[in-house]
Amino acid sequence: VLQQMDLPKWVAEQFAALDSPDLTAVVTTLNQITGLIKSFEGFRETPYWDVNALRTGYGSDTVTLPDGTVQNVGEGTRVSQEDADRDLQRRVSTEFAPIAARAVGEDVFASLLPNQKAALTSIAYNYGELPSSVAEAVRSGDPQAAAAAIAALGSHNNGINAGRRSKEAAFYLSGSTGGGTAPAASAGPVDPMSDPYVQQLMAVMSMRGITPE
């Protein structure tokens, strides 16, 4: 059943081979990705112009309504933190984590630690892609090389995001033997049950008579 669903491999992998899946791994990854992005983007209730679009919430040019409807940010848009959380969860799940996964390879991404997935997804959120230099370093399997490639991006755009790249590099190493300290997230944990992929997984598990730990 899992193979018939449109699930990112990094989510489905946590469940497919387990008789009694532990939801903690998926929740931890979602929390780390969204928490890291929030720590950099900050929350804005009203629109502001950034690069090529009006943005609000956590730097997004879209708003995701409670019914799942997606709207573009306009001059009169106002969002609550709940709206922004919903939009970020949707975009992480459907856009930016998949972008990072495709860049390094689905199998490689699925094997990474939650903090490593978070750092790569944060970069993809900021760039709209994962730079090839980082993807190549991640595929090498050397966390130190991957962190160095992330930090090296700090010279881009006249160094405007050098601090963010340094923190993402440290975050990439924060759950591995390479050391590093993760920046504190600016908001509380994500409610995993509001994520559409977790909802789908729970439905599949219910059909299979599986109770998550």
Side-chain angles (χ1 to χ4, degrees):
V1 177
L2 283 169
Q3 284 74 18
Q4 298 172 359
M5 298 172 64
D6 183 21
L7 294 170
K9 186 167 184 175
W10 64 271
V11 173
E13 192 90 349
Q14 307 292 335
F15 290 81
L18 300 176
D19 293 329
S20 183
D22 183 357
L23 202 56
T24 302
V26 173
V27 174
T28 297
T29 300
L30 290 171
N31 282 347
Q32 290 209 24
I33 292 174
T34 56
L36 184 62
I37 292 172
K38 289 177 183 181
S39 74
F40 295 130
E41 298 289 344
F43 169 75
R44 298 201 195 184
E45 181 181 6
T46 55
Y48 62 97
W49 185 262
D50 181 32
V51 184
N52 58 3
L54 285 170
R55 303 181 189 276
T56 191
Y58 302 113
S60 179
D61 59 0
T62 62
V63 179
T64 304
L65 303 180
D67 65 0
T69 302
V70 179
Q71 299 179 347
N72 291 328
V73 173
E75 290 285 356
T77 300
R78 296 182 70 89
V79 298
S80 66
Q81 194 159 334
E82 183 179 43
D83 293 329
D85 286 342
R86 188 184 309 112
D87 189 73
L88 181 59
Q89 290 169 41
R90 176 188 65 81
R91 300 197 71 183
V92 160
S93 295
T94 64
E95 297 179 47
F96 298 106
I99 284 173
R102 287 193 297 269
V104 302
E106 294 278 359
D107 290 335
V108 172
F109 195 77
S111 71
L112 297 175
L113 298 171
N115 58 289
Q116 295 171 331
K117 294 184 179 83
L120 299 181
T121 305
S122 175
I123 295 166
Y125 189 86
N126 193 216
Y127 273 75
E129 63 179 1
L130 189 69
S132 59
S133 59
V134 174
E136 182 178 349
V138 171
R139 287 194 296 270
S140 76
D142 181 352
Q144 291 286 349
I150 293 170
L153 300 177
S155 62
H156 291 189
N157 297 319
N158 296 317
I160 190 170
N161 285 316
R164 176 169 179 165
R165 300 290 90 88
S166 294
K167 290 177 180 178
E168 287 163 342
F171 200 86
Y172 190 90
L173 293 175
S174 64
S176 69
T177 56
T181 301
S186 61
V190 174
D191 173 12
M193 293 313 301
S194 67
D195 185 273
Y197 288 118
V198 174
Q199 291 172 359
Q200 286 179 308
L201 284 166
M202 293 294 287
V204 170
M205 290 163 61
S206 177
M207 289 166 53
R208 294 170 60 186
I210 297 172
T211 303
E213 295 176 351

